[in-house]
Amino acid sequence: MTTVQLKLEKGWFTVCATARLIPGRGVAALLPDGRQAAVFTDRRGRTYAIDNRDPFTGAYVLSRGLLGSTPEGRPYVASPLLKHRFDLETGVCLDDETRTVQTYLTERSSWF
């Protein structure tokens, strides 16, 4: 089985089996410290994770956002509430660079 893991301060945290991730859709994961992460996989099989909290509204909804990419190929998620776009690699809001969300390093791990 292959799983998706996030790099946290205290090491790697297993989120779920990769089979649970549908390309173009996100899942919310509760982290050990009580925060939430939004985890995505794109159609190329790349995995991304960012904070699930929308900094504009305070709602934990980014995992329900729509994936897209800029004309330059930068992957982003658009918040389902106000449609602000967040770069999945840097966490910077593409519509207001003063707002950011935390990003997490992801890894796919296999175990038997």
Side-chain angles (χ1 to χ4, degrees), residues 4-112:
V4 174
Q5 297 182 323
L6 304 183
K7 177 74 170 167
L8 303 178
E9 292 175 12
K10 295 184 179 183
W12 290 96
F13 174 73
T14 301
V15 174
C16 64
T18 55
R20 298 204 49 148
L21 296 177
I22 299 170
R25 292 191 175 176
V27 297
L30 182 62
L31 303 179
D33 64 3
R35 291 179 295 149
Q36 292 182 23
V39 183
F40 304 93
T41 188
D42 65 13
R43 285 172 172 62
R44 292 183 181 174
R46 297 176 295 189
T47 305
Y48 304 95
I50 61 172
D51 190 41
N52 195 32
R53 184 177 176 274
D54 182 334
F56 291 93
T57 64
Y60 292 86
V61 296
L62 293 181
S63 63
R64 296 179 181 260
L66 298 174
L67 291 186
S69 61
T70 65
E72 299 80 28
R74 301 289 302 177
Y76 67 79
V77 62
S79 174
L81 296 179
L82 300 177
K83 310 303 184 233
H84 291 98
R85 299 169 300 147
F86 295 92
D87 186 310
L88 290 173
E89 294 175 342
T90 66
V92 173
C93 179
L94 300 174
D95 305 300
D96 180 349
E97 293 182 0
T98 65
R99 303 288 180 106
T100 62
V101 293
Q102 180 175 348
T103 61
Y104 298 91
L105 182 62
T106 64
E107 177 179 271
R108 290 179 182 226
S109 174
S110 296
W111 56 276
F112 302 95

